Amino acid sequence: MLPTMHAELTRRTLALGVAVAAAGASLPGVGTGSAMAADGDPKHKALILAASACLTAAEVCHAHCLRLLGAGDTSLKICAPLVSATIPVCEALVRLAVLDHGRLKEFAKACADVCADCETECRKHESHHAECKACAEACAVCIRECKRLTAA
């Protein structure tokens, strides 16, 4: 089951990457409404990119946790559910940011909190696992962008 799960994570990450690349270039179907900045980029481009990178790093970290847990190593048993929660939150943040949704600031605050929990736990393992370090660093960037948005 694990190889199938890994393949699904890879497909989801690839699909998200394609979506983010498209959002970075333009937002077809959205037009020049409030979701677009004056230069044609998404209004919240930095947040979209940070949340997308966090999502990708969290997917990789989660797969790493599952591999270790499947092999009987329980050192990441606290990390696994925290990173698992980060994945859908960052995915939703990307969607809300692309749409410039009216509740984006409120959601970004909650996302920052979820990412902070994940970052704190991943920092405990970053010297032993590159996946944890990458996830913690991506969470930190996402938190920074969320705070930038909520402070505006």
Side-chain angles (χ1 to χ4, degrees):
M1 181 169 159
L2 194 54
T4 303
M5 183 177 294
H6 179 69
E8 177 61 26
L9 292 174
T10 303
R11 282 192 294 276
R12 284 178 42 199
T13 303
L14 178 60
L16 179 67
V18 170
V20 170
S26 67
L27 288 174
V30 175
T32 58
S34 64
M36 299 295 284
D39 60 3
D41 278 341
K43 182 176 179 180
H44 304 290
K45 184 176 181 178
L47 180 63
I48 293 165
L49 294 174
S52 298
C54 190
L55 171 60
T56 301
E59 289 276 18
V60 171
C61 186
H62 187 249
H64 177 68
C65 289
L66 293 177
R67 280 191 300 276
L68 289 179
L69 288 168
D73 181 345
T74 60
S75 64
L76 299 179
K77 69 181 177 187
I78 296 171
C79 191
L82 293 174
V83 72
S84 182
T86 301
I87 293 167
V89 170
C90 286
E91 186 173 24
L93 183 63
V94 170
R95 288 183 185 171
L96 294 177
V98 167
L99 295 171
D100 190 26
H101 192 277
R103 299 273 184 197
L104 177 60
K105 283 187 179 185
E106 294 169 66
F107 192 81
K109 166 65 176 113
C111 185
D113 292 342
V114 171
C115 286
D117 294 341
C118 185
E119 180 192 10
T120 298
E121 189 61 29
C122 281
R123 292 281 180 212
K124 295 176 184 176
H125 308 284
E126 70 181 341
S127 63
H128 303 290
H129 305 280
E131 296 85 352
C132 294
K133 181 175 183 171
C135 189
E137 290 173 359
C139 282
V141 173
C142 190
I143 293 164
R144 184 180 70 235
E145 290 303 323
C146 285
K147 288 182 176 179
R148 184 175 296 162
L149 174 71
T150 58

